[in-house]
Amino acid sequence: QGFLNGKSEQKRCKCNDGYTGPHCKAVDKKDDLLGAWELSSNIRLFSHLPRPNFPITLSLSVILLTLLMICVMVVHVIGKKREISAILGGEYQMVSPTANER
């Protein structure tokens, strides 16, 4: 560009497909990720965060372990209630600590 040189667009060669730049040596590509300008012009910092993804095996394992824990708790409570009702009903004989010494 200049007063005596004329337009520089007339002197440029057309680059082959896939190349760009003044000497056609740079690869013509587009970056899919956001650059510094796009990130800095964004008003909300956390607007582009991906949503968490839980693997199906992890979810099933947590559900199964929770159900197992609930079942064990229910069985334990039922056993304790039976034991208390048996003690109060007189089905068990209370053994004193000194009974074994005789």
Side-chain angles (χ1 to χ4, degrees), residues 1-13 22:
Q1 294 181 3
F3 182 68
L4 300 174
N5 295 345
K7 293 183 179 180
S8 62
E9 294 174 5
Q10 298 170 352
K11 296 180 182 180
R12 288 189 184 169
C13 300

Side-chain angles (χ1 to χ4, degrees), residues 42-99:
N42 191 3
I43 296 171
R44 293 182 292 170
L45 181 63
F46 299 109
S47 64
H48 295 295
L49 290 178
R51 293 186 179 185
N53 186 11
F54 296 108
I56 189 73
T57 54
L58 176 65
S59 303
L60 288 176
S61 299
V62 168
I63 290 171
L64 288 175
L65 287 174
T66 304
L67 290 174
L68 179 66
M69 184 181 71
I70 291 171
C71 290
V72 168
M73 287 173 49
V74 167
V75 168
H76 184 72
V77 167
I78 290 172
K80 285 291 182 181
K81 283 185 177 182
R82 285 183 182 166
E83 184 180 342
I84 291 171
S85 65
I87 289 173
L88 294 177
E91 297 175 20
Y92 287 133
Q93 268 189 332
M94 295 298 283
V95 178
S96 65
T98 58

